[in-house]
Amino acid sequence: MKKQVLALLLACTMTAALSACSGGQEADTEEGSDASQTEEDEDAAQAEESQEVLVMATNAEFPPYEYYDGGEIVGIDAEIAAAIAENLGMTLEIEDMAFDSIVTSVATGKADMGVAGMTVTEDRLENVNFTDPYATATQVVILREDSEIADTDGLEGKTVGVQLGTTGDLFAEDIPDVTVERYNKGFEAVQALSQGKIDAVIIDQEPAKVFVEENEGLKILDEAYTVEEYAIAVAKDNTELLEQINGALAELKESGKLDEIIGKYITAE
Ligand code: ARG
């Protein structure tokens, strides 16, 4: 993030003569009646311009947490991240990538944080730190409506689709005699299921609900795998940001804003 601020500053210095940066125009009118007010505006505008950028890595194939609405990435995580950035006085920038690239991207400092309905796991904790959790989730099984599979034991020996590198992928691996088909997007696994290419999909519950709603002839098995917690991934050496985000999250929880965001996308049954 530091580099981006530098670049911004540099760009401002270079274009200052052309008044392209904030304040330039106001500066011209400073002799007007309300000079101090103008100065304040100028300071505010400058503060905005020099705000540090907070880069969020995500995989926007995961409704209702992150998905495209037209060209824009929206969803619970996008809104939580925006609220955190606002709280920290930073400018949010979202980078969409493959889900299994997010941890590396954060660990190597390419992105500042990973916000992707990402479950806290022992494996991931070896490479990144996680903030306090902001949601709980479970893995569920999606089946075709006419499927004979009645419980998770019934997945034995079947072909199960998952999104590559997710906790669903981990659960699927542990099923005896299973064949795991890994897709880049959860939605692709669901399509394969609809087309009869695979027997089941293991994925997080909320996206499962969205996918089943959008595709006819599918159902969710009435039995869930263990409870997981979603949290935000931050580089191990960036404990300052970790604390800042935890502070912001605490405020969002306290003020009811977090519940408000989640309630906008998930209706309680
Ligand atoms: N909760 C699961 C995991 O952490 C799936 C997350 C997938 N998220 C996404 N944005 N595609 O592995």
mmCIF file with all atom_site columns, all heavy atoms in Angstrom, residues 70-84:
data_model
loop_
_atom_site.group_PDB
_atom_site.id
_atom_site.type_symbol
_atom_site.label_atom_id
_atom_site.label_alt_id
_atom_site.label_comp_id
_atom_site.label_asym_id
_atom_site.label_entity_id
_atom_site.label_seq_id
_atom_site.pdbx_PDB_ins_code
_atom_site.Cartn_x
_atom_site.Cartn_y
_atom_site.Cartn_z
_atom_site.occupancy
_atom_site.B_iso_or_equiv
_atom_site.pdbx_formal_charge
_atom_site.auth_seq_id
_atom_site.auth_comp_id
_atom_site.auth_asym_id
_atom_site.auth_atom_id
_atom_site.pdbx_PDB_model_num
ATOM 1  N N   . GLY A 1 70 ? -23.442 -6.312  -12.459 1.00 0.00 ? 70 GLY A N   1
ATOM 2  C CA  . GLY A 1 70 ? -22.892 -5.566  -13.588 1.00 0.00 ? 70 GLY A CA  1
ATOM 3  C C   . GLY A 1 70 ? -21.379 -5.643  -13.492 1.00 0.00 ? 70 GLY A C   1
ATOM 4  O O   . GLY A 1 70 ? -20.832 -6.709  -13.270 1.00 0.00 ? 70 GLY A O   1
ATOM 5  N N   . GLY A 1 71 ? -20.723 -4.513  -13.578 1.00 0.00 ? 71 GLY A N   1
ATOM 6  C CA  . GLY A 1 71 ? -19.268 -4.527  -13.508 1.00 0.00 ? 71 GLY A CA  1
ATOM 7  C C   . GLY A 1 71 ? -18.729 -4.347  -12.097 1.00 0.00 ? 71 GLY A C   1
ATOM 8  O O   . GLY A 1 71 ? -17.519 -4.310  -11.894 1.00 0.00 ? 71 GLY A O   1
ATOM 9  N N   . GLU A 1 72 ? -19.639 -4.253  -11.140 1.00 0.00 ? 72 GLU A N   1
ATOM 10 C CA  . GLU A 1 72 ? -19.209 -3.890  -9.788  1.00 0.00 ? 72 GLU A CA  1
ATOM 11 C C   . GLU A 1 72 ? -19.243 -5.088  -8.844  1.00 0.00 ? 72 GLU A C   1
ATOM 12 O O   . GLU A 1 72 ? -20.151 -5.900  -8.900  1.00 0.00 ? 72 GLU A O   1
ATOM 13 C CB  . GLU A 1 72 ? -20.184 -2.820  -9.266  1.00 0.00 ? 72 GLU A CB  1
ATOM 14 C CG  . GLU A 1 72 ? -19.631 -1.972  -8.155  1.00 0.00 ? 72 GLU A CG  1
ATOM 15 C CD  . GLU A 1 72 ? -20.755 -1.214  -7.434  1.00 0.00 ? 72 GLU A CD  1
ATOM 16 O OE1 . GLU A 1 72 ? -21.867 -1.121  -8.003  1.00 0.00 ? 72 GLU A OE1 1
ATOM 17 O OE2 . GLU A 1 72 ? -20.509 -0.761  -6.320  1.00 0.00 ? 72 GLU A OE2 1
ATOM 18 N N   . ILE A 1 73 ? -18.215 -5.191  -7.993  1.00 0.00 ? 73 ILE A N   1
ATOM 19 C CA  . ILE A 1 73 ? -18.205 -6.266  -7.002  1.00 0.00 ? 73 ILE A CA  1
ATOM 20 C C   . ILE A 1 73 ? -18.974 -5.796  -5.770  1.00 0.00 ? 73 ILE A C   1
ATOM 21 O O   . ILE A 1 73 ? -18.647 -4.779  -5.168  1.00 0.00 ? 73 ILE A O   1
ATOM 22 C CB  . ILE A 1 73 ? -16.765 -6.666  -6.632  1.00 0.00 ? 73 ILE A CB  1
ATOM 23 C CG1 . ILE A 1 73 ? -16.059 -7.251  -7.856  1.00 0.00 ? 73 ILE A CG1 1
ATOM 24 C CG2 . ILE A 1 73 ? -16.759 -7.673  -5.476  1.00 0.00 ? 73 ILE A CG2 1
ATOM 25 C CD1 . ILE A 1 73 ? -14.595 -7.557  -7.660  1.00 0.00 ? 73 ILE A CD1 1
ATOM 26 N N   . VAL A 1 74 ? -20.027 -6.526  -5.439  1.00 0.00 ? 74 VAL A N   1
ATOM 27 C CA  . VAL A 1 74 ? -20.879 -6.173  -4.299  1.00 0.00 ? 74 VAL A CA  1
ATOM 28 C C   . VAL A 1 74 ? -20.955 -7.358  -3.346  1.00 0.00 ? 74 VAL A C   1
ATOM 29 O O   . VAL A 1 74 ? -20.354 -8.403  -3.586  1.00 0.00 ? 74 VAL A O   1
ATOM 30 C CB  . VAL A 1 74 ? -22.293 -5.771  -4.775  1.00 0.00 ? 74 VAL A CB  1
ATOM 31 C CG1 . VAL A 1 74 ? -22.242 -4.549  -5.675  1.00 0.00 ? 74 VAL A CG1 1
ATOM 32 C CG2 . VAL A 1 74 ? -22.962 -6.945  -5.508  1.00 0.00 ? 74 VAL A CG2 1
ATOM 33 N N   . GLY A 1 75 ? -21.724 -7.194  -2.277  1.00 0.00 ? 75 GLY A N   1
ATOM 34 C CA  . GLY A 1 75 ? -21.928 -8.292  -1.351  1.00 0.00 ? 75 GLY A CA  1
ATOM 35 C C   . GLY A 1 75 ? -21.492 -7.946  0.060   1.00 0.00 ? 75 GLY A C   1
ATOM 36 O O   . GLY A 1 75 ? -20.985 -6.854  0.315   1.00 0.00 ? 75 GLY A O   1
ATOM 37 N N   . ILE A 1 76 ? -21.724 -8.881  0.966   1.00 0.00 ? 76 ILE A N   1
ATOM 38 C CA  . ILE A 1 76 ? -21.445 -8.657  2.382   1.00 0.00 ? 76 ILE A CA  1
ATOM 39 C C   . ILE A 1 76 ? -19.978 -8.253  2.602   1.00 0.00 ? 76 ILE A C   1
ATOM 40 O O   . ILE A 1 76 ? -19.691 -7.264  3.280   1.00 0.00 ? 76 ILE A O   1
ATOM 41 C CB  . ILE A 1 76 ? -21.783 -9.932  3.194   1.00 0.00 ? 76 ILE A CB  1
ATOM 42 C CG1 . ILE A 1 76 ? -23.284 -10.211 3.123   1.00 0.00 ? 76 ILE A CG1 1
ATOM 43 C CG2 . ILE A 1 76 ? -21.316 -9.790  4.646   1.00 0.00 ? 76 ILE A CG2 1
ATOM 44 C CD1 . ILE A 1 76 ? -23.702 -11.542 3.727   1.00 0.00 ? 76 ILE A CD1 1
ATOM 45 N N   . ASP A 1 77 ? -19.071 -9.031  2.030   1.00 0.00 ? 77 ASP A N   1
ATOM 46 C CA  . ASP A 1 77 ? -17.643 -8.744  2.251   1.00 0.00 ? 77 ASP A CA  1
ATOM 47 C C   . ASP A 1 77 ? -17.237 -7.399  1.662   1.00 0.00 ? 77 ASP A C   1
ATOM 48 O O   . ASP A 1 77 ? -16.452 -6.665  2.265   1.00 0.00 ? 77 ASP A O   1
ATOM 49 C CB  . ASP A 1 77 ? -16.774 -9.846  1.637   1.00 0.00 ? 77 ASP A CB  1
ATOM 50 C CG  . ASP A 1 77 ? -16.820 -11.130 2.469   1.00 0.00 ? 77 ASP A CG  1
ATOM 51 O OD1 . ASP A 1 77 ? -17.221 -11.066 3.642   1.00 0.00 ? 77 ASP A OD1 1
ATOM 52 O OD2 . ASP A 1 77 ? -16.451 -12.189 1.923   1.00 0.00 ? 77 ASP A OD2 1
ATOM 53 N N   . ALA A 1 78 ? -17.757 -7.092  0.487   1.00 0.00 ? 78 ALA A N   1
ATOM 54 C CA  . ALA A 1 78 ? -17.422 -5.819  -0.156  1.00 0.00 ? 78 ALA A CA  1
ATOM 55 C C   . ALA A 1 78 ? -17.885 -4.666  0.732   1.00 0.00 ? 78 ALA A C   1
ATOM 56 O O   . ALA A 1 78 ? -17.169 -3.667  0.908   1.00 0.00 ? 78 ALA A O   1
ATOM 57 C CB  . ALA A 1 78 ? -18.073 -5.736  -1.536  1.00 0.00 ? 78 ALA A CB  1
ATOM 58 N N   . GLU A 1 79 ? -19.068 -4.818  1.333   1.00 0.00 ? 79 GLU A N   1
ATOM 59 C CA  . GLU A 1 79 ? -19.590 -3.739  2.188   1.00 0.00 ? 79 GLU A CA  1
ATOM 60 C C   . GLU A 1 79 ? -18.856 -3.652  3.523   1.00 0.00 ? 79 GLU A C   1
ATOM 61 O O   . GLU A 1 79 ? -18.614 -2.561  4.035   1.00 0.00 ? 79 GLU A O   1
ATOM 62 C CB  . GLU A 1 79 ? -21.098 -3.914  2.404   1.00 0.00 ? 79 GLU A CB  1
ATOM 63 C CG  . GLU A 1 79 ? -21.879 -3.637  1.133   1.00 0.00 ? 79 GLU A CG  1
ATOM 64 C CD  . GLU A 1 79 ? -23.317 -3.214  1.402   1.00 0.00 ? 79 GLU A CD  1
ATOM 65 O OE1 . GLU A 1 79 ? -23.602 -2.673  2.479   1.00 0.00 ? 79 GLU A OE1 1
ATOM 66 O OE2 . GLU A 1 79 ? -24.146 -3.434  0.509   1.00 0.00 ? 79 GLU A OE2 1
ATOM 67 N N   . ILE A 1 80 ? -18.514 -4.817  4.069   1.00 0.00 ? 80 ILE A N   1
ATOM 68 C CA  . ILE A 1 80 ? -17.758 -4.805  5.326   1.00 0.00 ? 80 ILE A CA  1
ATOM 69 C C   . ILE A 1 80 ? -16.395 -4.147  5.077   1.00 0.00 ? 80 ILE A C   1
ATOM 70 O O   . ILE A 1 80 ? -15.940 -3.305  5.856   1.00 0.00 ? 80 ILE A O   1
ATOM 71 C CB  . ILE A 1 80 ? -17.568 -6.234  5.887   1.00 0.00 ? 80 ILE A CB  1
ATOM 72 C CG1 . ILE A 1 80 ? -18.917 -6.781  6.385   1.00 0.00 ? 80 ILE A CG1 1
ATOM 73 C CG2 . ILE A 1 80 ? -16.541 -6.255  7.019   1.00 0.00 ? 80 ILE A CG2 1
ATOM 74 C CD1 . ILE A 1 80 ? -18.872 -8.228  6.868   1.00 0.00 ? 80 ILE A CD1 1
ATOM 75 N N   . ALA A 1 81 ? -15.767 -4.531  3.985   1.00 0.00 ? 81 ALA A N   1
ATOM 76 C CA  . ALA A 1 81 ? -14.446 -3.973  3.658   1.00 0.00 ? 81 ALA A CA  1
ATOM 77 C C   . ALA A 1 81 ? -14.529 -2.461  3.454   1.00 0.00 ? 81 ALA A C   1
ATOM 78 O O   . ALA A 1 81 ? -13.654 -1.711  3.900   1.00 0.00 ? 81 ALA A O   1
ATOM 79 C CB  . ALA A 1 81 ? -13.884 -4.651  2.412   1.00 0.00 ? 81 ALA A CB  1
ATOM 80 N N   . ALA A 1 82 ? -15.596 -2.020  2.786   1.00 0.00 ? 82 ALA A N   1
ATOM 81 C CA  . ALA A 1 82 ? -15.766 -0.578  2.555   1.00 0.00 ? 82 ALA A CA  1
ATOM 82 C C   . ALA A 1 82 ? -15.935 0.149   3.886   1.00 0.00 ? 82 ALA A C   1
ATOM 83 O O   . ALA A 1 82 ? -15.381 1.235   4.096   1.00 0.00 ? 82 ALA A O   1
ATOM 84 C CB  . ALA A 1 82 ? -16.968 -0.331  1.641   1.00 0.00 ? 82 ALA A CB  1
ATOM 85 N N   . ALA A 1 83 ? -16.691 -0.467  4.795   1.00 0.00 ? 83 ALA A N   1
ATOM 86 C CA  . ALA A 1 83 ? -16.918 0.153   6.106   1.00 0.00 ? 83 ALA A CA  1
ATOM 87 C C   . ALA A 1 83 ? -15.617 0.196   6.914   1.00 0.00 ? 83 ALA A C   1
ATOM 88 O O   . ALA A 1 83 ? -15.347 1.174   7.609   1.00 0.00 ? 83 ALA A O   1
ATOM 89 C CB  . ALA A 1 83 ? -17.995 -0.621  6.867   1.00 0.00 ? 83 ALA A CB  1
ATOM 90 N N   . ILE A 1 84 ? -14.814 -0.850  6.798   1.00 0.00 ? 84 ILE A N   1
ATOM 91 C CA  . ILE A 1 84 ? -13.519 -0.875  7.501   1.00 0.00 ? 84 ILE A CA  1
ATOM 92 C C   . ILE A 1 84 ? -12.613 0.222   6.935   1.00 0.00 ? 84 ILE A C   1
ATOM 93 O O   . ILE A 1 84 ? -12.001 0.989   7.684   1.00 0.00 ? 84 ILE A O   1
ATOM 94 C CB  . ILE A 1 84 ? -12.843 -2.258  7.364   1.00 0.00 ? 84 ILE A CB  1
ATOM 95 C CG1 . ILE A 1 84 ? -13.601 -3.293  8.196   1.00 0.00 ? 84 ILE A CG1 1
ATOM 96 C CG2 . ILE A 1 84 ? -11.376 -2.196  7.798   1.00 0.00 ? 84 ILE A CG2 1
ATOM 97 C CD1 . ILE A 1 84 ? -13.151 -4.727  7.982   1.00 0.00 ? 84 ILE A CD1 1
#
